[in-house]
Amino acid sequence: MNKEEVMCWEHNYVLQVYHRPNFVLEKGEGCWLYDSDGNAYLDMVAGIAVNALGYNDPEIVRVMQKAATGLIHVSNLYHTAPHARLAKLLVETSFADRVHYANSGAEANEGAFKFARKFARTRFGAGKTDIVAFSGAFHGRLFGSLAATPREAYQVPFLPLMPGVRFAKFNDLDSSAQAIDDHVAAVIVEPVQGEGGIHPADPAFLAGLRTLCDRHNALLIFDEVQCGMGRTGHLWAYQGYDVVPDMLTAAKPLAGGLPIGAILLNERVAKTIAPGDHASTFAGGVFVTSVAEAILRRVSEPHFLQEVSAKGRYFAAKLQQMKAQHITSVRGRGLMLGIDLDIPAADVVQIGYRHGLLLVSAGKKVVRFVPPLVISRDEIDAAVDRLAAVLAEL
Ligand SMILES: *Cc1c(COP(=O)(O)O)cnc(C)c1O
C-alpha cells in the first residue's frame, strides 16, 4: 500500500476522532521512527509514554517470539506461570501485597474505584461511595474514569457519567480538606499529572492527602499510568515521595506497547475483595504478561533507573539553557518533562514533523517530552537542537 492509499482509507473507513499528520510510520529502531518515504523522526512521544524500551529492542523481540509460540491466551479460569510471575515481581518492587490485571489505564482506574467502593461498603456500610479527584487530572475516557477527569469537552457529550465524584484543587490541601469527608471512599491523584500539563505533586500535598484519607477512612489511589514504570527515575513515582498509597494503577509502558493495565493493592483492601467481584476476559493473559515481566525486569534495574534520573536532569538543564523564544518555563521529573509556551503547542508539534521531531502536547500551551527511557544523551542533544530550529520558525 502506498502512502496516499493508507491516508485515503483511514479517512474513508476509520472513525474520525484523531487528526493524523501526513505521513505513514513504517518501522522503528531505538528512539527513531521512519515513515514510508524514508524520513526519520526522533521520538519524544514513545506512543504516549508507552514504549519504554523504544522500538525493536532485541531482548523484547526475542521474548515476544518465544511467547508467540506459547499459549497467548487461555482465560483467567486457569493457572499460567507468566501471570503469577509478573504479579510476584510487581509486589516485590512496590508497596503492594497483591495485583489485579486490566487491559488499559482507564480500566485499571475503574477497577480501583470498584475495589474502593467494595472496601468502604464492607468496612463502613453503604453510603460511603464518593471519589475525590483533582483539577487538571486525567484518569481515562470510560464512564467512571471520565467522571474523574474534569474536562468539559471530554465529558459533556456523554453525560450522565458515574455519579459521586467531587473535585478539589491539585496541590491545594485546604481545598482537599473541604472535599474529603466521611462519605468519601477514595481519593485518586497522579503523583505527576501528565495530560494536565506535566505538573508534579508537591511532597507536602501527597503527605497531606495521606493524612486526610486516614482521618476519614478513605483509600488513597495513585494513578501512575503515565508517571509510573521508571518514567520519573524511580520505578514508581511514589517512591520519590515519602507517601505510600493503598492502591496504585499502572498501564501505559508496563508491557512495552502491548495493552495491559494493573491495579496494585495492599492487603487491607485486597481482603475485602472476593471471587466474582470483578473480572476480565483478556486481562493478565499469557503473552502480554510474559512481555511485561521482561520489561519490568529491565526497567527496575537500579542502574537503568539511575540513568533515567541522570538523563532527565541533563534534558531539563538543556531545555532551561535554551532560553529560546516562546519557552516560559520547564517542569517535570525524570524523563517526563514539559515546557510552557507563549504560543499554541499544536503549532510546535506540527512544525516538528518537518524537522524530524515527534512531539505531543499536554494542554493548549504545553509541549511534553516522554521519550523512550533508553534515549541517549546524543539523542537528547539532537532533540533540543531540532526543537530550537522549530521554535526559530515560529
Ligand atoms: C493515559 C492515562 C490514562 C488512561 O489510559 P488508557 O490506557 O488510555 O485508558 C489514565 N491515567 C493517566 C494518568 C493517563 O496518562
Side-chain angles (χ1 to χ4, degrees):
M1 268 177 93
N2 65 35
K3 165 178 155 182
E4 281 67 34
E5 235 172 357
V6 172
M7 284 169 23
C8 175
W9 290 12
E10 191 276 346
H11 185 263
N12 290 342
Y13 301 122
V14 176
L15 188 69
Q16 296 293 293
V17 295
Y18 282 94
H19 291 292
R20 298 183 169 96
N22 291 335
F23 52 83
V24 176
L25 292 174
E26 228 170 45
K27 58 177 188 175
E29 192 65 47
C31 291
W32 295 86
L33 282 164
Y34 300 87
D35 71 17
S36 55
D37 295 325
N39 298 308
Y41 302 86
L42 188 47
D43 184 12
M44 296 297 113
V45 183
I48 315 189
V50 167
N51 304 312
L53 302 181
Y55 304 91
N56 205 20
D57 179 89
E59 185 206 346
I60 300 308
V61 170
R62 268 198 310 277
V63 169
M64 286 196 191
Q65 282 169 336
K66 180 150 183 281
T69 62
L71 283 172
I72 311 289
H73 169 85
V74 292
S75 125
N76 278 308
L77 296 170
Y78 309 108
H79 282 295
T80 58
H83 182 101
R85 272 205 310 266
L86 176 62
K88 180 167 184 282
L89 193 57
L90 284 166
V91 164
E92 286 169 353
T93 54
S94 73
F95 73 95
D97 300 306
R98 289 180 187 278
V99 174
H100 180 80
Y101 295 112
N103 301 287
S104 69
E107 224 189 86
N109 286 332
E110 303 227 352
F113 293 166
K114 285 181 72 177
F115 296 156
R117 283 190 171 171
K118 176 84 194 289
F119 173 83
R121 179 176 291 265
T122 307
R123 295 280 307 271
F124 306 104
K128 187 175 172 62
T129 55
D130 283 6
I131 304 288
V132 172
F134 294 92
S135 57
F138 184 88
H139 298 299
R141 303 277 208 140
L142 305 179
F143 282 113
S145 46
L146 183 56
T149 297
R151 275 214 243 168
E152 252 179 56
Y154 292 1
Q155 290 188 343
V156 169
F158 309 106
L159 296 174
L161 307 175
M162 178 184 81
V165 180
R166 314 172 182 186
F167 291 97
K169 204 158 166 271
F170 186 68
N171 270 340
D172 183 331
L173 279 175
D174 291 338
S175 159
S176 306
Q178 295 263 312
I180 301 170
D181 63 23
D182 290 342
H183 297 290
V184 171
V187 173
I188 184 165
V189 66
E190 295 157 83
V192 183
Q193 286 190 338
E195 302 301 309
I198 313 294
H199 294 285
D202 298 332
F205 175 63
L206 293 188
L209 289 183
R210 181 71 271 178
T211 305
L212 285 167
C213 284
D214 292 344
R215 185 176 305 154
H216 295 285
N217 293 311
L219 298 175
L220 183 58
I221 305 168
F222 284 168
D223 178 345
E224 297 213 11
V225 168
Q226 187 158 165
C227 64
M229 271 296 279
R231 180 62 51 194
T232 63
H234 299 273
L235 181 61
W236 303 108
Y238 82 85
Q239 291 165 340
Y241 292 88
D242 223 5
V243 183
V244 178
D246 298 294
M247 286 190 267
L248 180 153
T249 53
K252 285 187 165 91
L254 184 51
L258 300 177
I260 189 171
I263 306 163
L264 281 55
L265 316 85
N266 65 24
E267 192 61 23
R268 197 163 68 102
V269 182
K271 270 202 312 236
T272 64
I273 309 301
D277 277 346
H278 195 39
S280 159
T281 299
F282 286 117
V286 181
F287 185 78
V288 72
T289 50
S290 303
V291 177
E293 187 195 352
I295 304 269
L296 182 56
R297 283 199 191 285
R298 281 271 287 285
V299 170
S300 61
E301 277 170 23
H303 177 72
F304 186 96
L305 292 167
Q306 281 155 19
E307 272 293 286
V308 172
S309 285
K311 291 183 295 189
R313 278 194 301 273
Y314 179 78
F315 200 162
K318 291 217 84 167
L319 289 169
Q320 301 272 12
Q321 284 156 18
M322 264 178 78
K323 290 208 182 68
Q325 260 187 326
H326 304 305
I327 298 181
T328 56
S329 68
V330 180
R331 277 191 304 275
R333 294 275 187 282
L335 287 170
M336 183 173 180
L337 299 169
I339 51 174
D340 280 323
L341 298 160
D342 61 9
I343 50 173
D347 296 353
V348 177
V349 172
Q350 196 60 38
I351 293 177
Y353 298 138
R354 273 200 281 110
H355 290 265
L357 184 63
L358 297 190
L359 299 168
V360 60
S361 62
K364 289 209 171 344
K365 293 204 164 170
V366 178
V367 162
R368 116 183 83 158
F369 301 84
V370 285
L373 302 179
V374 294
I375 192 171
S376 68
R377 284 165 182 75
D378 285 348
E379 285 163 336
I380 291 171
D381 291 346
V384 171
D385 288 347
R386 287 175 190 214
L387 177 69
V390 170
L391 292 174
E393 258 191 53
L394 282 155

